[in-house]
Amino acid sequence: MAGRLNVLVSGGTGSGKTTTLNALSEHIAPEERVVTIEDAAELRLRQPHVVRLEARPPNVEGRGEVTIRQLVRNALRMRPDRIVVGEARGPEALDMLMAMTSGHDGSLSTVHASSGPEALRRLAMLALMADVELPHEAVRRLVAGAIDLVVHQARDREGARRVESVWEAGEDGEPRRVYARRDGRDVWRPPRAGGRLATALGESCPS
């Protein structure tokens, strides 16, 4: 968070994605202006400069709907330092990616996926659902340029929720695993030399 990396939290239903998102948000500086966008308010950010936006379904007459995509677009006019999207699940993924690459570093979101690499592929697929005709390669590069880290959550057979792996997204579109939980042990791998993760970690880089 201090290095202002864009982080995507992935995992299945009930794996603890929102809980991890809340934990990460604890490390956002109090002077930063944060805009949160959700279907239903679940995030609990404690910073003093938080603007909370919530989607609204249409009424019985089919009017008054406010979509996540509309909220993401409006959020850009609110001068946010960071944007937190509770979950990317539709064409709003494209607008979120555009925001992440246009001066809103340190933004956060979650997505349903079975692994870190799958999360990036799913995000690209969601972005392609937008009403903008972009080639798949352009969207793939947009995802690679926007997302710095993927934190993958999992729920084990006993019901415990934990971070299973952390992936560093690369400009070539191929994520690189930098952390994994194996046989009860934490296994670290150094990030790419010269990458944003290595720059953010500095001397605290695990070896």
Side-chain angles (χ1 to χ4, degrees):
M1 291 296 95
R4 298 189 65 84
L5 300 182
N6 293 324
V7 180
L8 182 67
V9 181
S10 66
T13 302
S15 61
K17 298 187 296 298
T18 301
T19 301
T20 296
L21 204 63
N22 272 315
L24 289 171
S25 72
E26 292 286 331
H27 301 279
I28 297 175
E31 64 271 14
E32 294 188 44
R33 180 176 172 85
V34 184
V35 176
T36 67
I37 302 166
E38 302 176 84
D39 270 327
E42 294 180 306
L43 296 173
R44 296 291 182 267
L45 274 69
R46 301 179 183 179
Q47 287 76 7
H49 306 297
V50 176
V51 179
R52 294 176 174 84
L53 304 180
E54 191 173 349
R56 183 175 66 195
N59 60 20
V60 293
E61 297 175 346
R63 300 177 181 176
E65 181 181 18
V66 179
T67 66
I68 293 291
R69 190 174 190 190
Q70 290 171 327
L71 293 178
V72 172
R73 290 177 173 179
N74 287 333
L76 300 180
R77 304 187 182 99
M78 298 179 179
R79 299 180 292 104
D81 293 307
R82 303 179 193 242
I83 295 176
V84 180
V85 179
E87 183 179 342
R89 61 177 66 180
E92 70 275 0
L94 178 62
D95 301 276
M96 182 185 74
L97 292 169
M98 296 294 287
M100 288 179 169
T101 56
S102 60
H104 301 92
D105 294 339
S107 294
L108 304 164
S109 187
T110 73
V111 68
H112 274 79
S114 57
S115 69
E118 177 61 29
L120 296 176
R121 290 191 290 268
R122 179 169 173 78
L123 198 61
M125 181 193 71
L126 294 174
L128 287 169
M129 294 170 60
D131 55 354
V132 178
E133 294 185 3
L134 290 174
H136 183 271
E137 180 62 21
V139 174
R140 189 181 70 86
R141 289 185 177 275
L142 180 61
V143 171
I147 303 299
D148 297 310
L149 279 182
V150 180
V151 177
H152 185 67
Q153 293 277 144
R155 182 179 181 183
D156 62 21
R157 294 178 180 177
E158 287 73 35
R161 300 170 176 86
R162 59 172 54 91
V163 174
E164 183 182 66
S165 58
V166 177
W167 299 76
E168 178 186 16
E171 294 182 1
D172 57 0
E174 293 300 324
R176 184 174 186 270
R177 186 164 54 194
V178 294
Y179 166 80
R181 182 76 174 173
R182 294 176 180 169
D183 300 324
R185 296 185 301 110
D186 296 327
V187 180
W188 293 93
R189 183 181 183 186
R192 290 183 174 94
R196 290 196 63 188
L197 177 57
T199 302
L201 291 174
E203 296 299 323
S204 64
C205 245
S207 58

